[in-house]
Amino acid sequence: MLVLLPPSEGKAPSGTGSPLRLDSLSLPGLTAARAAVLEELVELCAGDEEKAREVLGLSEGLRGEVGKNAGLREAGARPAGEIYTGVLYDALGLASLEGPARERAAGWLLVFSGLWGAVRVTDPIPSYRCSMGGEAARAGRAGRALAEPDGSGAAGGRRGRAGPRSALVGVRGGVEAEG
């Protein structure tokens, strides 16, 4: 079984641990696309702050998110299930799961993200701001990298795993799951 979760706009702060390692994330077929989106977002946010706020659709009150995105390569990473917050993630109670329930959650829960394409709740990521519907996620090479399926089977293929399209940001095309 595969349960697809939306990301949340609200996110906990990044951790104090090791920075993100793209090659450590699940769904390794997305690594090159993730790197392209990350590069584009960091470059945007390290430049003109007003332009970055406009592209990301951020209000004046969220100005600090631009600086947070600019430092994504150095920010500490925490499991995605700890980064995403809000009603859905509170109700899931991931922190309270033990043993087999924790293992099932790690294998069955997949979060779609404007920045990462898709991650498992156990994948270590930093806190970020890049909405799926936002211009940054659809712009230039980053949007193409995550939205166009390449047929490589990024999510791993069979037995309850998503097909190549479902691990990508372009979720509107539907989800393919077997098993």
Side-chain angles (χ1 to χ4, degrees):
M1 174 188 296
L2 186 63
V3 179
L4 310 174
L5 302 173
S8 60
E9 287 293 320
K11 295 178 185 69
S14 291
T16 56
S18 299
L20 171 73
R21 284 188 38 233
L22 287 176
D23 63 349
S24 74
L25 299 179
S26 299
L27 311 173
L30 293 175
T31 301
R34 289 170 174 149
V37 176
L38 179 63
E39 176 65 27
E40 194 163 309
L41 182 62
V42 168
E43 185 178 305
L44 170 70
C45 292
D48 181 344
E49 184 176 298
E50 290 305 314
K51 178 182 177 186
R53 274 193 335 114
E54 181 181 327
V55 169
L56 294 171
L58 300 176
S59 68
E60 178 66 33
L62 295 174
R63 180 179 290 278
E65 299 293 298
V66 174
K68 181 168 72 173
N69 282 349
L72 280 172
R73 287 191 197 96
E74 296 81 32
R78 294 172 43 191
E82 294 176 18
I83 291 290
Y84 295 113
T85 63
V87 176
L88 171 65
Y89 291 90
D90 290 345
L92 280 172
L94 294 171
S96 68
L97 298 179
E98 296 178 2
R102 187 174 196 79
E103 290 174 23
R104 281 191 301 275
W108 292 359
L109 299 178
L110 190 65
V111 181
F112 286 90
S113 158
L115 179 54
W116 312 117
V119 292
R120 296 203 182 279
V121 293
T122 53
D123 284 342
I125 60 170
S127 184
Y128 66 94
R129 187 63 157 226
C130 181
S131 110
M132 273 169 109
E135 290 300 315
R138 295 189 307 246
R141 69 182 184 275
R144 286 190 303 277
L146 287 172
E148 293 178 5
D150 63 3
S152 66
R158 307 196 56 81
R159 302 224 9 124
R161 296 181 185 231
R165 292 176 194 249
S166 62
L168 305 171
V169 170
V171 179
R172 286 176 245 229
V175 174
E176 303 167 8
E178 298 177 17

